[in-house]
């Protein structure tokens, strides 16, 4: 399950979404140039980690990373998580490098920086005759999906979660801790526990994507300080959030 937010307060369905699956199960082919997204377009790139089984390939991919990225990977716990994190960094580098800018970019040479809230950005090297493209990206990954969203001129946030993710706490107790009163009210109206869990995960991914889009981080934008207003539709006798027609409402509680 994934959600991403662009255009600041407008959700992804306000733009045209182009999806591209990357094949990392064999040696990386030459990077074919791709045009930058248009103003009303979002590019969604993804990799399926389970399809990448070669340890030698993973070792080759690690050579695209910076010394700091390699060090961070080394200290991560869990082989599956470490693999997804590696593929996420490779996906970002090889995706950004293939966009048609005014000069050819080597994925290995890309440098990144973080905002004061920790959101990663490309640290472009300014030249006398070249202006960096107004490109924005965001990444997220689980053990089964690595995703990268790319836009031009507007920030983007993306979050992916496992559809079968289970909560240690009771659903409504969890929701009351992290969600706004209006969102808790919507979840409370769902009687089926499994549907309720699924809808909570949907809301979580949307809220996570929004926070990443505005680039402020969870501590600066707690989930219970804004509301995802989604239309509720009835399918199969149960109520579901229509995440294709959603908006973010910032309120103070």
């Amino acid at each position: 399950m994934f959600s991403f937010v662009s255009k600041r307060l407008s959700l992804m369905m306000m733009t045209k979404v182009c999806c591209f699956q990357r094949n990392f199960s064999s040696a990386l082919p030459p990077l074919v140039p791709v045009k930058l997204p248009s103003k009303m377009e979002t590019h969604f790139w993804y990799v399926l980690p389970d399809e990448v089984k070669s340890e030698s390939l993973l070792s080759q991919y690690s050579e695209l990373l910076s010394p700091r990225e390699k060090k961070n990977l080394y200290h991560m716990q869990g082989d599956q998580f470490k693999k997804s994190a590696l593929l996420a960094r490779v996906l970002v580098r090889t995706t950004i490098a293939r966009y048609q800018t005014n000069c050819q970019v080597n994925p290995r040479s890309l440098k990144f920086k973080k905002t004061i809230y920790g959101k990663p950005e490309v640290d472009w090297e300014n030249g006398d005759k070249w202006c960096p493209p107004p490109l924005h990206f965001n990444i997220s990954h689980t053990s089964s999906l690595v995703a990268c969203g790319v836009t031009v001129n507007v920030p983007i946030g993306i979050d992916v979660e496992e559809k079968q993710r289970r909560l240690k706490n009771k659903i409504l107790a969890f929701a009351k801790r992290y969600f706004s009163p209006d969102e808790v009210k919507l979840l409370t109206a769902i009687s089926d526990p499994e549907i309720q869990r699924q809808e909570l995960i949907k809301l979580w991914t949307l809220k996570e994507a929004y926070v990443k889009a505005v680039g402020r981080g969870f501590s600066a934008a707690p989930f219970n300080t804004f509301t995802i207003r989604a239309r509720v539709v009835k399918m199969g006798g149960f109520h579901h959030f229509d995440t294709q027609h959603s908006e973010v409402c910032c309120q103070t509680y």
Side-chain angles (χ1 to χ4, degrees), residues 147-240:
C148 175
V150 179
T151 54
V152 168
N153 288 320
V154 290
I156 182 171
I158 185 169
D159 184 54
V160 297
E161 299 287 345
E162 298 289 353
K163 291 182 68 173
Q164 301 306 317
R165 174 183 172 184
R166 296 293 168 179
L167 302 176
K168 295 181 180 179
N169 302 319
K170 292 184 178 179
I171 293 174
L172 291 181
F174 182 90
K176 289 176 182 178
R177 180 178 179 183
Y178 292 105
F179 290 179
S180 73
D182 286 345
E183 292 165 340
V184 173
K185 183 178 179 180
L186 284 173
L187 288 169
T188 303
I190 301 173
S191 58
D192 184 273
E194 177 57 21
I195 301 298
Q196 192 180 63
R197 183 194 67 81
Q198 293 175 11
E199 299 309 300
L200 182 141
I201 298 298
K202 286 182 184 179
L203 271 178
W204 182 274
T205 58
L206 285 168
K207 292 173 82 71
E208 181 81 26
Y210 170 73
V211 168
K212 294 173 73 176
V214 297
R216 297 184 60 193
F218 181 81
S219 60
F223 281 8
N224 59 6
T225 61
F226 64 91
T227 298
I228 301 292
R229 297 201 182 280
R231 186 174 65 184
V232 179
V233 295
K234 192 171 184 179
M235 294 184 296
F238 296 102
H239 290 89
H240 300 260

Side-chain angles (χ1 to χ4, degrees), residues 1-14:
M1 179 179 295
F2 71 88
S3 296
F4 59 93
V5 179
S6 61
K7 306 292 184 186
R8 282 291 182 183
L9 299 183
S10 301
L11 297 188
M12 65 174 183
M13 281 58 183
M14 300 297 290

Side-chain angles (χ1 to χ4, degrees), residues 3 16 38 48 57 59 66 99-100 104 110 121 138 147 149 165 219 223 227 252:
S3 296
K16 176 183 177 182
S38 66
L48 304 177
L57 278 177
S59 179
S66 69
Y99 279 105
Q100 290 180 342
Q104 191 170 2
L110 284 168
E121 298 176 340
N138 200 236
R165 174 183 172 184
S219 60
F223 281 8
T227 298
T252 300

Side-chain angles (χ1 to χ4, degrees), residues 23-172:
N23 180 14
F24 283 2
S25 60
S26 58
L28 284 175
L31 298 178
V32 179
V34 176
K35 290 184 178 180
L36 289 168
S38 66
K39 291 183 179 180
M40 292 299 294
E41 191 175 55
T42 297
H43 286 182
F44 176 74
W45 301 82
Y46 68 98
V47 175
L48 304 177
D50 288 343
E51 294 183 354
V52 187
K53 304 181 185 299
S54 171
E55 291 295 330
S56 63
L57 278 177
L58 291 174
S59 179
Q60 292 178 36
Y61 295 154
S62 67
E63 294 305 311
L64 294 176
L65 275 55
S66 69
R68 176 176 291 184
E69 288 172 327
K70 292 179 182 178
K71 183 178 180 180
N72 290 340
L73 277 176
Y74 178 79
H75 291 291
M76 288 180 181
Q77 301 295 319
D79 292 341
Q80 195 66 34
F81 182 78
K82 188 178 297 187
K83 176 182 176 182
S84 295
L86 167 61
L87 294 176
R89 298 312 309 164
V90 175
L91 178 63
V92 167
R93 286 180 171 276
T94 57
T95 295
I96 293 175
R98 71 193 304 162
Y99 279 105
Q100 290 180 342
T101 56
N102 290 336
C103 65
Q104 191 170 2
V105 179
N106 186 322
R108 189 181 288 106
S109 69
L110 284 168
K111 296 180 180 179
F112 298 88
K113 61 183 179 180
K114 290 186 177 181
T115 65
I116 59 173
Y117 294 109
K119 185 175 182 178
E121 298 176 340
V122 181
D123 189 5
W124 297 105
E125 295 184 4
N126 291 315
D128 294 336
K129 298 181 179 180
W130 182 72
C131 293
L135 183 148
H136 295 261
F137 76 93
N138 200 236
I139 58 174
S140 184
H141 61 87
T142 67
S143 60
S144 60
L145 179 66
V146 177
C148 175
V150 179
T151 54
V152 168
N153 288 320
V154 290
I156 182 171
I158 185 169
D159 184 54
V160 297
E161 299 287 345
E162 298 289 353
K163 291 182 68 173
Q164 301 306 317
R165 174 183 172 184
R166 296 293 168 179
L167 302 176
K168 295 181 180 179
N169 302 319
K170 292 184 178 179
I171 293 174
L172 291 181

